[in-house]
Amino acid sequence: MIEEILWAVAGAGAATVAYVGAAARVVKQYERGVVFRFGRLRGEVRPPGFTMIVPAVDRLHKVNMQIVTMPVPAQEGITRDNVTVRVDAVVYFKVVDAAEALVRVEDYRFAVSQMAQTSLRSIIGKSDLDDLLSNREKLNQGLELMLDSPAIGWGVQIDRVEIKDVSLPETMKRSMARQAEADRERRARLINADAELQASKKLAEAAHQMAEAPSALQLRLLQTVMAVAAEKNSTLVLPIPVELLRFLERATPETGRAPAPDPAPPAAADEPPPPPLPPVEDLTGSSVEPAPRGRAA
């Protein structure tokens, strides 16, 4: 009798252990458990930790609640300004309702991937090339809104959408390179012209200042000579400017100059003409008398 009781207790214990082993489940911290009993959804979602189900009756499905990083394959499309581009992106999403993610859609990962590809093609067709290259933040927000609207009904929340790369044809790359080069050349010329204008204004002010003080021009000339002579690799020819001679002439005291002769007084109007010159004797012979003035008799 005692042996039968012992065998019965052992059999009950073994059955209990087997039942507990079949019914025991462990849900991890980043997971949630959804239980289906005879195919019907149980109302509560099992939290993380140890949980029990009815063997052969319940089915426990674990849903990952972590943020999923899903790359979107490169999509080729034509922009609004008729440029063919290839754009790829990445989608960050997570499940916020484990029961809805299992019931509302067959495979929420595949559904999000297909919706992301379709939305990316739509964004390419609605945008210009400049927007794809420089205004990506606005396009990312538009993509996020397009994906989040249907996904929220699946128990999925779109956390972020990022456009990774925009591939352009080689001809378009060369055209953009020429455009950028021309723009930089234009800015370089404008900067050079502005520098020339400022330099000309400063030179004009310096010229007016030197015109008031001529000695400043000489000092500037001597500074230039010193700067050139510092190299010691050239022959320097220095012309003496006229301003330097005038400066020295003004600085020299007026000494040792002969007085200028007084000019002859003008002749009076009523003074008789001077007497005629006497005849010139010719030492070789007869005297030569000058011809009389006036008409001959």
Side-chain angles (χ1 to χ4, degrees):
M1 186 67 182
I2 297 177
E3 292 182 0
E4 293 178 357
I5 295 175
L6 292 176
W7 281 107
V9 171
T16 304
V17 171
Y19 178 83
V20 171
R25 296 289 186 274
V26 176
V27 180
K28 297 180 181 179
Q29 181 66 37
Y30 55 85
E31 294 177 340
R32 297 295 182 271
V34 180
V35 179
F36 291 91
R37 178 168 295 175
F38 294 111
R40 294 179 62 87
L41 176 67
R42 298 288 295 176
E44 68 279 1
V45 176
R46 302 298 174 88
F50 181 81
T51 184
M52 297 286 292
I53 62 173
V54 178
V57 175
D58 294 341
R59 293 290 183 270
L60 179 66
H61 295 269
K62 299 178 182 179
V63 180
N64 194 335
M65 307 295 289
Q66 291 177 316
I67 294 178
V68 180
T69 303
M70 176 179 293
V72 180
Q75 302 296 313
E76 185 172 354
I78 300 176
T79 61
R80 192 166 56 181
D81 50 354
N82 299 325
V83 179
T84 303
V85 295
R86 289 178 60 88
V87 182
D88 57 349
V90 60
V91 180
Y92 301 90
F93 68 94
K94 63 181 179 179
V95 177
V96 293
D97 192 339
E100 294 291 332
L102 289 177
V103 174
R104 295 293 182 181
V105 63
E106 179 181 3
D107 187 353
Y108 64 90
R109 290 175 180 266
F110 182 74
V112 171
S113 176
Q114 294 300 313
M115 187 174 57
Q117 296 179 32
T118 306
S119 301
L120 184 58
R121 283 178 176 269
S122 178
I123 284 292
I124 293 174
K126 294 179 181 179
S127 305
D128 295 332
L129 179 61
D130 294 338
D131 294 335
L132 288 175
L133 296 177
S134 60
N135 199 9
R136 293 189 180 181
E137 189 65 29
K138 182 178 179 181
L139 298 180
N140 294 337
Q141 294 177 359
L143 272 174
E144 183 178 349
L145 290 176
M146 294 178 66
L147 293 175
D148 194 54
S149 298
I152 197 66
W154 304 339
V156 178
Q157 179 182 355
I158 304 299
D159 190 70
R160 190 172 182 84
V161 182
E162 292 285 347
I163 295 177
K164 292 198 302 184
D165 188 22
V166 178
S167 300
L168 299 175
E170 292 297 329
T171 55
M172 181 58 64
K173 290 182 180 179
R174 290 194 293 268
S175 299
M176 294 177 65
R178 289 195 300 268
Q179 179 184 359
E181 184 179 358
D183 184 68
R184 289 184 179 275
E185 184 68 21
R186 178 184 62 84
R187 285 186 292 175
R189 291 185 179 182
L190 290 177
I191 293 173
N192 191 16
D194 185 63
E196 292 291 340
L197 177 61
Q198 295 180 6
S200 63
K201 290 181 180 180
K202 294 298 181 180
L203 289 175
E205 294 178 3
H208 288 300
Q209 188 70 23
M210 289 181 179
E212 297 178 0
S215 59
L217 182 61
Q218 306 305 322
L219 294 176
R220 187 70 185 90
L221 177 61
L222 294 177
Q223 290 178 357
T224 305
V225 171
M226 291 178 61
V228 174
E231 298 296 332
K232 298 180 181 180
N233 58 359
S234 60
T235 302
L236 186 63
V237 179
L238 179 64
I240 300 178
V242 180
E243 288 80 1
L244 182 59
L245 297 178
R246 292 177 181 174
F247 177 75
L248 295 175
E249 183 180 0
R250 289 195 299 268
T252 304
E254 298 182 358
T255 55
R257 293 187 178 182
D262 296 335
D270 54 354
E271 185 177 352
L277 298 175
V280 180
E281 294 183 0
D282 189 3
L283 300 178
T284 59
S286 60
S287 59
V288 179
E289 187 175 4
R293 299 180 178 179
R295 183 176 298 178

